[in-house]
Amino acid sequence: MRAYNFSAGPATLPTEVLTQVQEELLDWRGKGVSVMELSHRGPEFMEILATAERDLRALLAIPDHYRVIFCQEGASAHWDMIPLNLLQGRSRADYIETGYWSYRAIEEGRRYCQVNIAASNRRDKFCALPSFEEWRLDPGAAYVHYCSNETIDGLEFNWIPDVGKVPLVVDMSSHFLSRSVPVERFGMIYAGAQKNIGPAGLSLVIIRDDLLRTPAPGTPFLMDYHAQVLANSMLNTPPTFTIWVAGLVFQWIKRQGGLEVMDRQAQQKSELLYTTLDRSGFYRTTVKPADRSRMNIPFHLLDPVLDEVFLREAESRHLLQLRGHRMSGGFRASIYNAMPVAGVHALVDFLEEFERHYG
Amino acid sequence: MRAYNFSAGPATLPTEVLTQVQEELLDWRGKGVSVMELSHRGPEFMEILATAERDLRALLAIPDHYRVIFCQEGASAHWDMIPLNLLQGRSRADYIETGYWSYRAIEEGRRYCQVNIAASNRRDKFCALPSFEEWRLDPGAAYVHYCSNETIDGLEFNWIPDVGKVPLVVDMSSHFLSRSVPVERFGMIYAGAQKNIGPAGLSLVIIRDDLLRTPAPGTPFLMDYHAQVLANSMLNTPPTFTIWVAGLVFQWIKRQGGLEVMDRQAQQKSELLYTTLDRSGFYRTTVKPADRSRMNIPFHLLDPVLDEVFLREAESRHLLQLRGHRMSGGFRASIYNAMPVAGVHALVDFLEEFERHYG
């Protein structure tokens, strides 16, 4: 039987997608070979890649003047690729600090330019987003970088900052495809695959075509966005199997009803979980309600002495990978698109029962 | 049924490995989750990674003072990573030119240092390896780079150059694990996965520990070999599923009898194919017999007008992906470890029959 898997990433995938992968694993479409064994230059894989891009474009209504790159590198490689490609001779960029992942991007950005931290919630211990009125943007910045869902801290933007003409660059890794977004508000969107897209070993870039320019001298050739676009994401052999699975996930989302349905379910699942946590005096959460993530829900027992018991009992009910990030301790339930509503119900039932027993 | 797939990469994988992947795809070891869904920081994946490294070390008898890195980047990323990590302030490096892939490494190396092409077979049209007596090595070079099997040109080194104290760096992508190699003769070995290791989206590095130093300033953080070693290949989320499959391939090689058996079969399979091609007046090969690759065997029809007929008829017999690289035309049979002897027999039978019919 399939467990309910709350891992923050690599994360649960739709059972329906995994079943299709399983069925076709040794024999894709009667060809007698696995997708893993197809040449990336052959017509079969070219069709897989083109279909994946077409479906992604349909889901997000990506305008024609935005290009899609399937990158072998993970999301964190873009912390270097963004300044290398987007500074274009400027020396300054704006970064918003809202938690662990946006801070890592800042640290790496500092190696390439003068980073202006235009807003930070560090003094709030990363428990609330800095309101837009506090942002001190630099009109001479090459771009503004932020992370719209902090996977570890459990914060999510449900608004898009208006930064004027400066290109807005966003790390959407952990809530990508969980709601519609007006792509044209961004200069560039990027996301690692292992949350809402597919297996680890892939990231996606959606970039406005006027930002595709020759990168800084010395940029490793695979880190050149413009060259990757010109090569149709095939400057080198792409992770073909991973791209195939991502494409199957896009098709699965379409069959469910698209991003509108993902959005509604994210709302429903996260409300169910937060309501249970809020009405209890036994669990605690730390994030300000308005800024809570619908995808990554960190919580704690008031008394951490029961942490290991909690995890053991959860596991015995096939509720897996609830351990919190090593930096924050406690627990974290990641409830991405592929987590069924029934999984959240099972978790909520367990939370209540555990509280009744030990509370 | 499974076809015989002669793709140069992504390439055929052992049917036994794919069957195991299929069986465990939704439920790995009764855990109720796919390997794709396991957190990379959890004990399950840590064990997968440790086992893969241990098996690789056993297969190649890797000495303790060499470290193994599982890189998300493909082999071609190392064309940048090698100078960034190994120049260590020197300005010159030796490169050997023997075909398409070694030339690509040279082009990229020139962006970082003064490349001395210590030997080249360009005047021989890449049809024979430059004999070691012709190599003009620079004793002040930071390293010597070569490619020990040219996938497109079909050349293979069955000897290892003695370059003295200068670290020898080798791209072994397309014949990795097809024979034993004395690892201690090399400073660094690297190989892309999608030939003899597993699915695309991974490369392996085996590096002597004294070469692990702080890379050049400005090196993107994921391209730092030393940092990757310190982080146990987990500076970011690694391609977990791909590493799992690679580990299953290592175990499969061990069950077959290790590299000695891979070596013997490579000899047997390639002899069978070359013998058939040589005794025909209908097909032609271009590489000097002593330097022929046992893995990648390019060949042509004397009359290319029949090329498409050949490919169509081959495909109707489930002999797939025999089209030559777009730069060389004609055909190429890649017969990696996972290609069964029966597959080469089927190809040879077809070659003979096609010649009888059209010759």
Side-chain angles (χ1 to χ4, degrees):
Chain A
M1 67 154 277
R2 292 269 292 160
Y4 293 121
N5 171 17
F6 297 93
S7 171
T12 195
L13 289 164
T15 301
E16 213 179 295
V17 166
L18 289 176
T19 303
Q20 184 177 350
V21 170
Q22 183 176 47
E23 280 167 5
E24 301 194 304
L25 199 86
L26 280 90
D27 187 5
W28 179 74
R29 296 195 186 170
K31 296 263 179 195
V33 298
S34 178
V35 169
M36 287 179 221
E37 303 173 308
L38 289 172
S39 165
H40 56 297
R41 302 273 177 205
E44 295 88 357
F45 180 72
M46 297 299 272
E47 190 203 319
I48 287 170
L49 182 63
T51 305
E53 177 171 341
R54 199 167 53 237
D55 287 336
L56 180 69
R57 285 186 169 275
L59 284 172
L60 277 167
I62 300 175
D64 285 347
H65 63 298
Y66 283 76
R67 307 301 295 263
V68 174
I69 311 174
F70 290 80
C71 288
Q72 178 156 350
E73 293 82 3
S76 49
H78 298 285
W79 301 336
D80 297 281
M81 291 158 87
I82 289 162
L84 285 167
N85 285 272
L86 301 189
L87 279 173
Q88 291 295 326
R90 291 183 191 242
S91 60
R92 307 193 316 261
D94 281 343
Y95 281 74
I96 312 301
E97 182 183 38
T98 52
Y100 179 79
W101 292 109
S102 54
Y103 182 68
R104 291 288 306 276
I106 287 168
E107 276 193 317
E108 200 62 16
R110 280 189 172 131
R111 301 178 53 208
Y112 299 94
C113 63
Q114 189 186 322
V115 165
N116 170 42
I117 301 185
S120 170
N121 60 353
R122 183 172 286 272
R123 274 185 310 181
D124 292 331
K125 294 185 175 150
F126 309 116
C127 290
L129 293 173
S131 71
F132 189 59
E133 296 73 55
E134 301 166 30
W135 293 27
R136 294 292 166 260
L137 296 166
D138 169 1
Y143 54 86
V144 180
H145 179 279
Y146 78 116
C147 172
S148 53
N149 187 87
E150 289 279 3
T151 324
I152 293 175
D153 308 276
L155 296 161
E156 182 175 7
F157 282 82
N158 50 38
W159 47 280
I160 298 168
D162 179 359
V163 299
K165 289 204 165 147
V166 176
L168 184 60
V169 175
V170 62
D171 174 359
M172 274 194 192
S173 293
S174 49
H175 72 159
F176 192 65
L177 299 181
S178 71
R179 61 170 83 209
S180 298
V181 286
V183 173
E184 61 281 3
R185 296 280 300 275
F186 299 91
M188 172 179 151
I189 296 169
Y190 68 105
Q194 67 272 18
K195 284 94 163 58
N196 264 333
I197 299 172
L202 177 71
S203 61
L204 293 183
V205 168
I206 302 167
I207 186 166
R208 210 173 60 213
D209 57 13
D210 65 289
L211 298 175
L212 293 167
R213 309 283 280 276
T214 303
T219 301
F221 81 108
L222 292 168
M223 294 193 148
D224 176 339
Y225 290 141
H226 194 193
Q228 282 289 12
V229 162
L230 293 175
N232 193 26
S233 303
M234 300 229 275
L235 273 181
N236 67 334
T237 311
T240 51
F241 174 81
T242 309
I243 291 173
W244 177 54
V245 179
L248 296 181
V249 171
F250 301 157
Q251 286 170 15
W252 175 83
I253 296 174
K254 282 172 77 180
R255 285 197 304 276
Q256 305 308 300
L259 299 189
E260 210 178 299
V261 172
M262 296 299 110
D263 190 353
R264 201 161 58 230
Q265 287 188 356
Q267 193 61 28
Q268 183 190 354
K269 290 185 290 186
S270 58
E271 270 179 18
L272 188 60
L273 193 43
Y274 282 120
T275 305
T276 306
L277 295 166
D278 285 346
R279 73 171 162 233
S280 153
F282 186 69
Y283 304 104
R284 65 182 172 86
T285 62
T286 49
V287 176
K288 179 181 156 197
D291 298 331
R292 282 168 163 176
S293 170
R294 305 191 305 177
M295 296 286 118
N296 310 102
I297 301 180
F299 60 96
H300 297 261
L301 287 170
L302 283 190
D303 183 357
V305 79
L306 288 171
D307 279 8
E308 294 304 318
V309 180
F310 180 94
L311 289 168
R312 212 160 47 234
E313 295 201 6
E315 199 154 323
S316 74
R317 283 148 191 264
H318 308 288
L319 304 170
L320 305 187
Q321 308 202 68
L322 282 161
R323 192 184 289 279
H325 190 270
R326 62 207 146 98
M327 290 173 38
S328 20
F331 313 104
R332 177 173 47 169
S334 294
I335 49 175
Y336 298 119
N337 287 344
M339 173 58 67
V341 178
V344 181
H345 276 291
L347 175 58
V348 160
D349 289 348
F350 170 69
L351 288 171
E352 290 174 346
E353 199 183 305
F354 192 84
E355 178 173 358
R356 273 198 302 277
H357 196 257
Y358 293 98
Chain B
M1 68 156 275
R2 292 269 292 161
Y4 293 121
N5 170 17
F6 297 92
S7 172
T12 196
L13 289 164
T15 301
E16 215 180 292
V17 167
L18 289 176
T19 303
Q20 185 176 349
V21 171
Q22 184 176 45
E23 279 167 7
E24 301 194 302
L25 199 84
L26 280 87
D27 187 5
W28 178 74
R29 296 196 186 168
K31 295 264 179 195
V33 297
S34 178
V35 169
M36 286 181 223
E37 302 173 309
L38 288 172
S39 166
H40 57 298
R41 303 272 176 205
E44 297 88 356
F45 180 72
M46 297 299 273
E47 190 203 319
I48 287 171
L49 182 64
T51 305
E53 177 170 341
R54 200 167 51 237
D55 288 335
L56 180 69
R57 284 185 170 276
L59 284 172
L60 277 168
I62 300 175
D64 285 347
H65 62 298
Y66 283 75
R67 308 300 294 263
V68 174
I69 312 174
F70 290 80
C71 288
Q72 177 156 350
E73 292 83 4
S76 48
H78 299 286
W79 301 335
D80 297 281
M81 290 158 87
I82 289 161
L84 285 167
N85 285 274
L86 301 189
L87 280 173
Q88 290 296 324
R90 291 183 192 245
S91 61
R92 307 193 316 261
D94 281 343
Y95 282 74
I96 312 302
E97 182 184 38
T98 51
Y100 180 79
W101 292 108
S102 54
Y103 182 67
R104 290 289 305 277
I106 288 168
E107 277 193 316
E108 200 62 15
R110 281 188 171 132
R111 300 178 53 209
Y112 299 94
C113 64
Q114 188 185 324
V115 165
N116 170 42
I117 300 185
S120 169
N121 61 353
R122 183 172 285 274
R123 273 186 310 182
D124 292 331
K125 295 186 176 149
F126 309 115
C127 290
L129 293 173
S131 71
F132 189 59
E133 295 74 54
E134 301 167 31
W135 293 28
R136 295 293 167 260
L137 295 166
D138 169 2
Y143 54 86
V144 180
H145 179 278
Y146 78 117
C147 172
S148 53
N149 187 87
E150 289 278 3
T151 324
I152 293 176
D153 307 277
L155 296 160
E156 182 174 7
F157 281 82
N158 50 39
W159 48 280
I160 298 168
D162 179 359
V163 299
K165 289 203 165 149
V166 177
L168 184 60
V169 175
V170 62
D171 174 359
M172 275 194 191
S173 294
S174 48
H175 73 158
F176 192 65
L177 299 181
S178 70
R179 61 170 84 209
S180 299
V181 286
V183 172
E184 61 281 3
R185 297 279 301 274
F186 298 93
M188 172 179 151
I189 296 171
Y190 68 105
Q194 66 272 18
K195 284 94 163 62
N196 265 333
I197 298 172
L202 177 72
S203 61
L204 292 183
V205 167
I206 301 168
I207 184 165
R208 210 174 59 215
D209 57 12
D210 66 287
L211 298 175
L212 294 166
R213 310 282 281 275
T214 304
T219 301
F221 81 108
L222 292 168
M223 292 192 150
D224 177 339
Y225 291 141
H226 194 191
Q228 282 289 12
V229 162
L230 293 175
N232 191 28
S233 303
M234 300 230 274
L235 275 181
N236 66 335
T237 311
T240 51
F241 173 81
T242 308
I243 291 173
W244 177 53
V245 179
L248 296 181
V249 170
F250 300 157
Q251 286 171 14
W252 175 82
I253 295 174
K254 281 173 77 180
R255 286 197 304 276
Q256 306 307 299
L259 298 189
E260 211 178 298
V261 172
M262 296 299 110
D263 190 351
R264 200 161 59 230
Q265 287 188 354
Q267 194 59 30
Q268 184 190 354
K269 290 184 290 185
S270 59
E271 271 179 19
L272 187 60
L273 193 43
Y274 282 120
T275 305
T276 306
L277 294 167
D278 285 346
R279 73 171 163 233
S280 152
F282 186 69
Y283 304 103
R284 67 183 172 84
T285 62
T286 49
V287 176
K288 179 181 156 196
D291 298 332
R292 282 167 163 176
S293 170
R294 306 190 305 177
M295 296 287 119
N296 310 100
I297 302 181
F299 60 96
H300 297 261
L301 288 170
L302 283 189
D303 182 357
V305 79
L306 287 171
D307 279 9
E308 295 303 319
V309 179
F310 179 94
L311 288 168
R312 212 160 46 234
E313 294 200 7
E315 199 155 322
S316 75
R317 283 148 190 264
H318 309 288
L319 305 170
L320 305 187
Q321 309 202 67
L322 281 162
R323 191 184 290 281
H325 190 271
R326 61 208 148 95
M327 290 174 39
S328 20
F331 314 103
R332 176 173 48 169
S334 293
I335 49 176
Y336 298 118
N337 288 344
M339 173 57 66
V341 178
V344 181
H345 276 291
L347 175 58
V348 160
D349 289 347
F350 170 68
L351 288 170
E352 290 174 345
E353 199 183 304
F354 193 83
E355 177 173 0
R356 274 199 301 279
H357 196 256
Y358 293 99

